[in-house]
Amino acid sequence: MSEMVKTIAVLPGDGIGPEVVEQAVQVLNAVARRHGVTVLFEEGLVGGIAYDETGHPLPPETLALCRHADAILFGAVGGPKWDRIEPPTMRPELGALLPLRKELSLYANLRPARLYPALADASPLKNALLGEGLDILVVRELTGGIYFGTPKERTEDGHRAIDTCIYFSEEIERIARVGFEAALRRQRRICSVDKANVMETSRLWRDIVTHVAADYPQVELTHMLVDNCAMQLIRNPRQFDVIVTENMFGDILSDEAAMLTGSLGMLPSASLGNGSRGLYEPVHGSAPDIAGKDIANPLAAILSAAMLLRYSLDMEEAALDVERAVEHAIEAGYRTADIAGPGDTPIGTREMGERVIERLR
Ligand code: IPM
Ligand code: MG
């Protein structure tokens, strides 16, 4: 049997990005070998560090590297050092992360928020609201809406600013399909979130999602206004299976859903387009205050690596192995500082990585 070789672009970025990505790379190495696949890692500069070293937060070589890779493993970008770069389009967020999503047409952002029973006490919600646990998938549209619409500018006198929210039917239709397909593989319930009482884009959104639903009679569709959804997530989070929503609402609701599970440090994400190439990124940011101290939680990055195995390398068994290893490490009581309870002795970033690797099948 000829051995399979896959190329992964590794973009560690800023803050805790490099430390958590290092652990994810080790996990990928270990699990791929066990499944007979060779992975080649090619590192690229992105974010503030790329700006410092090359003058641009997304150097052309990095973009080229991402285009030829099978998948992209991304750490985090940004930090106080780069918050005041002018123009703002040269800052890590606007100059690297958003263009990367757009250039690679990664329009579907999957953000699973899953509560590990052993971490129920870390959730800010009363345990009575958590029942058997939480398992919500936020499907966020990632390359349209107010993030990218133009005009997007300030007037000369500085007293008028404008952002533009635009959606095309095709953009809504393709993300709706991603949501319905995901729901088919889960509890077959999808909640489409919009602001149709105010926004024209939301009324189009609702029409298109309703239209797509006709192709998925097995899936139960509900519509919810975004303000109500923000409230319902806290009041009764177990009512949700898949939430599909536009770019900015998805940004906000995914942080909220993530926090319900106890720690942003646990949440992975996948950003996908039409092909198999995807970008995988922990939902937490660069956390500059704890960078370089070996205390960051690498599990979000490691779980992002599991999503990479599943969606870009078609290695479902390997993905499950990683997810089980993480679960077992948690069940065995290992905790980084962010998820440690009163009686726990926190372990560091590297040790958490090792605890996961030793639990791989
Ligand atoms: C996210 C982040 C980004 C976003 C920022 C850093 C631009 O909050 O991935 O959720 O708003 O999309
Ligand atoms: Mg966000």
Side-chain angles (χ1 to χ4, degrees):
M1 193 179 91
S2 73
E3 210 188 10
M4 243 208 310
V5 181
K6 298 287 184 182
T7 306
I8 298 177
V10 179
L11 312 186
D14 306 316
I16 60 172
E19 321 167 44
V20 297
V21 162
E22 186 187 332
Q23 296 312 312
V25 165
Q26 308 247 12
V27 169
L28 279 173
N29 242 334
V31 77
R33 195 170 324 121
R34 285 174 172 77
H35 289 264
V37 174
T38 302
V39 272
L40 301 176
F41 297 98
E42 294 187 25
E43 211 169 291
L45 287 170
V46 74
I49 186 173
Y51 179 84
D52 288 348
E53 293 192 14
T54 73
H56 199 289
L58 182 62
E61 311 82 71
T62 299
L63 192 55
L65 169 66
C66 293
R67 285 192 200 283
H68 91 248
D70 293 298
I72 302 144
L73 185 62
F74 189 96
V77 293
K81 187 177 172 199
W82 305 286
D83 277 349
R84 290 170 185 283
I85 296 174
E86 289 293 341
T89 49
M90 289 294 275
R91 295 178 195 165
E93 297 83 358
L94 281 181
L97 191 53
L98 300 194
L100 202 49
R101 292 171 177 170
K102 193 75 172 176
E103 287 291 322
L104 302 175
S105 298
L106 304 173
Y107 61 84
N109 186 213
L110 309 186
R111 297 190 165 182
R114 202 175 142 218
L115 178 82
Y116 292 79
L119 293 181
D121 287 335
S123 173
L125 291 187
K126 291 194 199 77
N127 284 9
L129 291 172
L130 301 173
E132 312 283 277
L134 294 182
D135 186 357
I136 301 171
L137 177 67
V138 178
V139 176
R140 169 188 176 192
E141 200 290 324
L142 202 59
T143 52
I146 203 160
Y147 273 59
F148 293 97
T150 52
K152 188 180 195 65
E153 64 202 18
R154 185 113 40 120
T155 49
E156 288 282 317
D157 66 6
H159 291 294
R160 199 173 76 99
I162 179 166
D163 290 291
T164 306
C165 190
I166 307 182
Y167 266 108
F168 293 90
S169 313
E170 303 81 60
E171 290 176 310
I172 301 170
E173 177 165 349
R174 65 185 182 180
I175 191 71
R177 290 197 186 279
V178 171
F180 279 99
E181 290 292 332
L184 273 182
R185 281 175 264 114
R186 299 169 48 98
Q187 295 175 50
R188 307 195 162 196
R189 287 183 291 120
I190 189 167
C191 178
S192 171
V193 174
D194 62 43
K195 189 72 185 171
N197 52 351
V198 175
M199 295 175 71
E200 199 55 50
T201 44
S202 280
R203 285 188 284 275
L204 178 63
W205 180 278
R206 207 175 263 222
D207 288 349
I208 302 290
V209 172
T210 304
H211 177 75
V212 170
D215 292 340
Y216 297 90
Q218 320 89 317
V219 177
E220 177 198 307
L221 166 68
T222 51
H223 298 279
M224 199 179 274
L225 297 174
V226 62
D227 50 347
N228 186 28
C229 181
M231 186 269 277
Q232 294 294 339
L233 273 169
I234 292 175
R235 197 184 72 92
N236 176 18
R238 284 175 51 79
Q239 73 186 280
F240 296 105
D241 178 20
V242 175
I243 291 176
V244 64
T245 190
E246 65 96 57
N247 204 343
M248 182 171 262
F249 299 159
D251 175 46
I252 298 167
L253 295 176
S254 62
D255 266 27
E256 189 185 354
M259 193 58 222
L260 298 182
T261 71
S263 171
L264 229 41
M266 299 288 299
L267 274 288
S269 78
S271 302
L272 308 171
N274 281 333
S276 65
R277 188 191 305 109
L279 181 146
Y280 302 85
E281 162 192 17
V283 171
H284 62 68
S286 57
D289 51 320
I290 60 164
K293 298 185 178 162
D294 192 43
I295 55 178
N297 187 344
L299 294 180
I302 291 171
L303 291 167
S304 299
M307 294 184 89
L308 183 156
L309 291 163
R310 170 170 299 124
Y311 295 111
S312 284
L313 305 192
D314 196 19
M315 294 173 68
E316 177 65 22
E317 280 308 313
L320 289 171
D321 281 356
V322 173
E323 287 164 352
R324 276 190 289 255
V326 166
E327 207 164 330
H328 291 162
I330 295 281
E331 278 164 12
Y334 295 107
R335 303 279 187 275
T336 42
D338 58 311
I339 49 174
D344 298 323
T345 311
I347 61 172
T349 311
R350 274 191 288 267
E351 183 176 350
M352 186 58 111
E354 285 159 19
R355 296 303 177 200
V356 172
I357 290 172
E358 71 194 13
R359 282 169 177 77
L360 290 168
R361 256 199 325 184

